[in-house]
Amino acid sequence: MTAAAGPADSLGPSGWLREAAATRERTGMRRVLRPRPVDDDVLDLASNDYLGLARHPRVSAAAAEAALRWGAGSTGSRLVTGSTDLHTRLEAELAAFVGDEAALVFSSGYLANIGALTALVDTDTLVVSDALNHASVVDACRLGRATVSVTAHRDVHAVAAALAGRTTSRAVVVTDAVFSVDGDLAPVAELHSVARAHGALLVVDEAHSLGVIGEGGRGACLDAGIAAEPDVVRTLTLSKSLGSQGGAVVGSSEVVEHLVNAARSFIFDTALAPAAVAGASAALEVLRAEPERAAAVRTRARGIFDALCVAGMSARAPDGAVVSVLVGDPGRAADAAATLLAGGLCVGCFRPPSVPDGISRLRLTARADLTDADVARAVAAVRQAL
Ligand SMILES: Cc1ncc(COP(=O)(O)O)c(C=O)c1O
């Protein structure tokens, strides 16, 4: 006997997938992958390669040498197959660069956030999280099974109120240092004061501030004077200004020892590939030797913002490398990004769920190696597309 067709059919895998696809199409939310040729003449204002190090000859050569010596992959979790000298050296270099005691490398920045937060909270912890924190922080909060209080963007008073009203034994305040879509800087020193006053830990995601903010790009926490505080833990990514792949958590040796034993995204994950580790080490070396790259990218971002304002567009003043241009409607933002790409300019397009409804935007990222002509061309094209 065959089952009669009924409501269950439309809830079956092909039914709901079709429905979801139709909704995405209708609401301008459909995302598509496009090919990326190795060399094209598209002007890239979409990547996070802020310092132009992803293809720096020393960085590429270091990655290639490590792959030849160690192989393409790292072969297992470090708790099983061990730590290469490349991994331990990078961890020491990263910790020293951002002014703290120890670091632990993860295979992505996403997994560094997941590992750090889930290992540092429990069901008796309140996590106070900025409304515009990155998706990896949001997911980490969910996975941690703590009580989560989402506070208004950059609102230190709201954080203090949430901490004051807590009923849990422990509390963690978590914030991006530079917000990935809006490009503004969190008030990390104020957040630290409030967190400390309430006995809470502060976790700062320095994904977009490493290599960009502070003297020589040593990050927002060092710049704010809270880098080596025992109640501050930082997460980093190696995939943006360091032009490689991977992530890290930076803090005291005690924190790192705890993560080795408790961070599931470290324990149950194959270690970061040697090529990525060596690439990040080489990039850090370039940045240490050429600290002016950090200021150069900030100046470029400011130049893009100024030119957008002169052209009459609504953009947010950048604190780092990210310049956010408000569009509003997701379909309009996607159309503008597609038009720009067809004309040879690649920009980011952020729509829900990456940003809240109604504030879709184009995201332009500065690079230290952009020229004045690049900026003029980009701004003219954006103006025309909007
Ligand atoms: C603020 C922030 N944190 C973490 C990540 C994740 O880093 P990764 O791309 O290395 O996984 C990103 C990436 O976009 C980010 O913007």
Side-chain angles (χ1 to χ4, degrees):
M1 201 174 111
T2 50
D9 277 356
S10 60
L11 293 174
S14 54
W16 75 261
L17 279 182
R18 246 197 324 273
E19 182 66 24
T23 304
R24 282 196 294 270
E25 196 69 57
R26 204 174 48 247
T27 55
M29 235 68 96
R30 180 164 179 243
R31 289 160 160 81
V32 286
L33 289 169
R34 64 181 172 83
R36 180 185 167 203
V38 68
D39 274 316
D40 55 22
D41 52 10
V42 169
L43 177 58
D44 168 26
L45 267 74
S47 82
N48 299 311
D49 182 23
Y50 302 135
L51 305 181
L53 294 179
R55 292 192 186 191
H56 188 288
R58 273 170 60 193
V59 175
S60 306
E65 272 165 35
L68 289 174
R69 178 153 182 249
W70 287 95
S74 65
T75 75
S77 164
R78 281 165 66 188
L79 285 169
V80 178
T81 54
S83 288
T84 73
D85 59 344
L86 293 174
H87 288 82
T88 44
R89 197 170 345 117
L90 175 61
E91 286 168 349
E93 288 164 357
L94 283 171
F97 187 73
V98 300
D100 212 329
E101 203 171 84
L104 186 68
V105 169
F106 286 68
S107 58
S108 75
Y110 187 102
L111 291 175
N113 276 333
I114 298 284
L117 283 163
T118 56
L120 294 170
V121 308
D122 60 16
T123 51
D124 192 21
T125 307
L126 171 72
V127 180
V128 184
S129 177
D130 187 288
L132 296 190
N133 277 342
H134 186 254
S136 54
V137 172
V138 173
D139 294 352
C141 289
R142 289 174 181 157
L143 266 179
R145 291 180 294 173
T147 304
V148 180
S149 169
V150 176
T151 46
H153 183 48
R154 300 181 76 253
D155 188 339
V156 181
H157 295 297
V159 172
L163 290 174
R166 86 175 198 250
T167 54
T168 53
S169 307
R170 293 195 295 123
V172 172
V173 176
V174 58
T175 186
D176 288 8
V178 169
F179 289 86
S180 52
V181 180
D182 283 29
D184 49 345
L185 190 61
V188 289
E190 292 88 334
L191 287 172
H192 179 243
S193 301
V194 165
R196 179 162 287 183
H198 290 274
L201 175 72
L202 176 66
V203 177
V204 181
D205 177 347
E206 297 243 32
H208 298 277
S209 45
L210 178 70
V212 175
I213 300 293
E215 191 72 37
R218 288 171 188 258
C221 289
L222 190 66
D223 198 45
I226 60 164
E229 296 294 343
D231 49 1
V232 174
V233 169
R234 279 172 287 170
T235 60
L236 312 175
T237 173
L238 316 177
S239 66
K240 304 196 192 302
S241 58
L242 296 184
S244 182
Q245 293 275 143
V249 181
V250 180
S252 66
S253 304
E254 202 177 5
V255 164
V256 166
E257 203 265 342
H258 176 70
L259 295 178
V260 168
N261 289 277
R264 292 168 66 86
S265 60
F266 176 80
I267 299 168
F268 299 106
D269 189 42
T270 296
L272 183 62
V277 178
S281 267
L284 203 54
E285 210 177 294
V286 173
L287 181 53
R288 277 198 307 260
E290 300 167 22
E292 65 281 2
R293 281 179 186 259
V297 74
R298 295 197 301 267
T299 304
R300 267 294 166 222
R302 192 74 208 190
I304 293 173
F305 167 73
D306 289 344
L308 287 166
C309 291
V310 168
M313 275 170 286
S314 170
R316 207 206 157 284
D319 287 322
V322 175
V323 187
S324 186
V325 183
L326 185 64
V327 181
D329 177 67
R332 195 167 157 247
D335 288 347
T339 305
L340 288 169
L341 188 59
L345 174 68
C346 186
V347 302
C349 169
F350 281 71
R351 298 167 281 167
S354 308
V355 295
D357 234 349
I359 56 164
S360 291
R361 56 200 54 209
L362 297 181
R363 175 181 184 266
L364 278 53
T365 50
R367 282 198 326 276
D369 55 350
L370 289 174
T371 63
D372 290 345
D374 291 334
V375 172
R377 182 185 146 202
V379 170
V382 172
R383 185 176 177 208
Q384 207 170 20
L386 289 175

